[in-house]
């Protein structure tokens, strides 16, 4: 049935368009001769502006022209359009002005990813785009500090899991207002599926399976003013989880009834639409169904941060009888302990071990989609675990912890999302052995909107895992994380249920990690970060 839906979704003229754009960049489009913006009077900047992936001398500026975002190609002709960009140190665009022209190409959905280079490090900027007579909103961004620089602080927001239908993006609204260097978004940026039981607002249409379908879904998200404000206010670093493509997919294996070839076509469409709507480097542009999103970011001597990909290269969840991907509660089964099973894939696993071994950062932040610390539940029938989580990949997790434990110095903190609860946890060299040493700390953020498991289940989970120091699923949230040379502080911002964009947000708890002492400690002072003078 799912397969039939896919084929229907690709039927008729949409097939030619979707497959043509995905697989055969035809001559006749994508040439270098730009056309003027059609004079319809519609604003082409409906999806806003964004920036991301700052390095010491560069930053990526993004926009996508789409005067009518739910029409094919956003209502634009199948021709390249000329687009001007400007970046300056002041809001009036006078000091340190840089400008250029680029082409918004139809084969990229008229999106642009401008990597502005040769910029001074550790500086804040304003940017905007112009197309014909139309001018975009002004965005703010920054470059990272130079590689060897002594940096006094890094302040970031950690966020994940924003189901559009399940709540207002009140937390993005607060993130937009914060004084931050970065937003780190660790997955479930969008949801492909709908749950009719929890619906405060509606998606634009059915589950996407084609490039045009995923473009429309991304447009729904970018039309949200709070999400647009958050993108415009700060540079973002991104990785993904499953819902950007499909619930619980694992590598090239689908959760649904699709065979691998059909699923890889869906994954290619989803990755391409993701690329077209995110402020990521043009070098990350997907090739077919592959897109490398894992990356390293430096913040002077203070921190190294890596984004890691938990989905594209992982083994299928253990012990699924029907060969389809998907998480479920499991007892023990032989395949769980198969050492060849992987979360990162062999080459990403090797890469992050190498990166950790050579990092000079005082802090080493591993941003990936989900909770690393055990979340299994102790029952009278023995331990039960959720097979889509790191608990379902125990040997891969041991290898990650070994890479963390082996690095000579520096404090490792894992940052995650996906589980829709705020979590603070200790990470041990062997996470399943409480006698093994604590080697790292972990913070997992609650969801921006997505509903969660009951708090009763979480209480049970807390009782079963002494290394979980904090776990609360009753509130949605994001985390404000500030680090300096001595300590890292995580303020868990939360709201009960964001029905309105103006929902009240409070601090659920604050945790600190001191340099040289792995493991979060409750911050008894509880001074709100946002009120600390800087
Ligand atoms: Fe999620
Ligand atoms: Ca997820």
């Amino acid at each position: 049935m799912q397969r039939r839906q896919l084929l229907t979704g690709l039927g008729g003229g949409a097939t030619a368009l979707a497959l043509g754009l995905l697989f055969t960049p035809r001559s006749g489009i994508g040439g270098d001769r730009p056309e003027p913006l059609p004079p319809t009077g519609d604003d082409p900047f409906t999806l806003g502006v964004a920036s991301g992936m700052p390095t010491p001398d560069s930053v990526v500026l993004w926009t996508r022209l789409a005067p009518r975002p739910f029409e094919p190609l956003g209502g634009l002709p199948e021709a390249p359009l000329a687009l001007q960009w400007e970046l300056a140190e002041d809001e009036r665009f006078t000091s340190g002005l840089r400008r250029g022209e680029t082409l918004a190409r139809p084969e990229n959905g008229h999106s642009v990813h401008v990597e502005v280079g040769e910029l001074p490090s550790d500086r804040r900027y304003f940017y905007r785009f112009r197309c014909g007579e139309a001018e975009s909103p002004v965005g703010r961004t920054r470059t990272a500090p130079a590689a060897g620089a002594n940096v006094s602080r890094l302040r970031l927001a950690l966020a994940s899991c924003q189901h559009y239908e399940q709540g207002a993006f009140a937390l993005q609204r607060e993130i937009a207002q914060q004084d931050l260097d970065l937003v780190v978004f660790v997955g479930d940026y969008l949801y492909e599926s709908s749950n009719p039981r929890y619906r405060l607002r509606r998606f634009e249409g059915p589950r996407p399976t084609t490039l045009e379908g995923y473009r429309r879904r991304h447009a729904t998200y970018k039309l949200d003013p709070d999400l647009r404000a958050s993108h415009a206010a700060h540079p973002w670093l991104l990785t993904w989880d499953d819902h950007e493509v499909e619930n619980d997919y694992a590598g090239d294996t689908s959760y649904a009834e699709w065979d691998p070839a059909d699923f890889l076509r869906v994954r290619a469409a989803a990755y391409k639409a993701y690329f077209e709507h995110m402020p990521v480097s043009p070098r990350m542009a997907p090739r077919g169904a592959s897109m490398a999103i894992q990356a390293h970011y430096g913040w002077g001597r203070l921190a190294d941060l890596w984004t890691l990909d938990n989905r594209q290269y992982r083994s299928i969840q253990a012990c699924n009888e029907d060969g389809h991907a998907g998480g479920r509660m499991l007892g023990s089964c032989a395949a769980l302990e198969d050492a060849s099973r992987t979360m990162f894939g062999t080459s990403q696993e090797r890469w992050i071990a190498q990166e950790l071994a050579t990092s000079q950062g005082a802090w080493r932040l591993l941003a990936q989609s989900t909770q690393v610390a055990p979340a299994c539940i102790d029952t009278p029938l023995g331990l039960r675990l959720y097979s889509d989580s790191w608990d379902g990949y125990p040997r891969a997790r041991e290898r990650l912890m070994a890479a963390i434990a082996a690095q000579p110095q520096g404090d490792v903190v894992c940052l995650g999302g996906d589980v829709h609860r705020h979590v603070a946890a200790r990470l041990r060299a062997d996470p399943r052995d409480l006698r093994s040493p604590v080697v790292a700390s972990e913070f997992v953020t609650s969801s921006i909107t997505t509903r969660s498991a009951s708090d009763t289940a979480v209480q049970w989970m807390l009782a079963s895992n002494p290394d979980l120091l904090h776990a609360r699923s009753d509130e949605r949230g994001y985390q404000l994380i500030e680090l300096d040379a001595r300590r890292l502080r995580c303020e868990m911002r939360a709201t009960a249920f964001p029905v309105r964009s103006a929902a009240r947000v409070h601090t659920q708890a604050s945790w600190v990690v001191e340099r040289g002492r792995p493991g979060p400690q409750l911050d008894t002072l509880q001074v709100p970060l946002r009120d600390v003078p800087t």
Side-chain angles (χ1 to χ4, degrees), residues 129-192:
F129 296 91
R130 192 172 295 119
C131 184
E133 297 297 300
E135 204 169 274
S136 78
V138 172
R140 286 177 288 153
T141 192
R142 61 164 302 149
T143 47
N150 283 314
V151 184
S152 56
R153 76 149 215 202
L154 165 61
R155 185 187 291 199
L156 59 89
L158 176 68
S160 86
C161 294
Q162 42 191 21
H163 201 301
Y164 178 85
E165 292 189 328
Q166 294 183 9
F169 292 159
L171 295 160
Q172 290 290 8
R173 178 184 161 120
E174 187 181 280
I175 290 171
Q177 291 160 0
Q178 294 285 355
D179 169 22
L180 298 173
D181 298 303
L182 297 168
V183 173
V184 179
F185 196 93
V186 291
D188 292 353
Y189 182 95
L190 62 71
Y191 282 74
E192 87 294 8

Side-chain angles (χ1 to χ4, degrees), residues 161 188 191 241-243 311 388 418 420:
C161 294
D188 292 353
Y191 282 74
D241 196 34
D242 50 344
H243 287 285
R311 282 287 162 192
D388 189 58
D418 173 51
H420 310 169

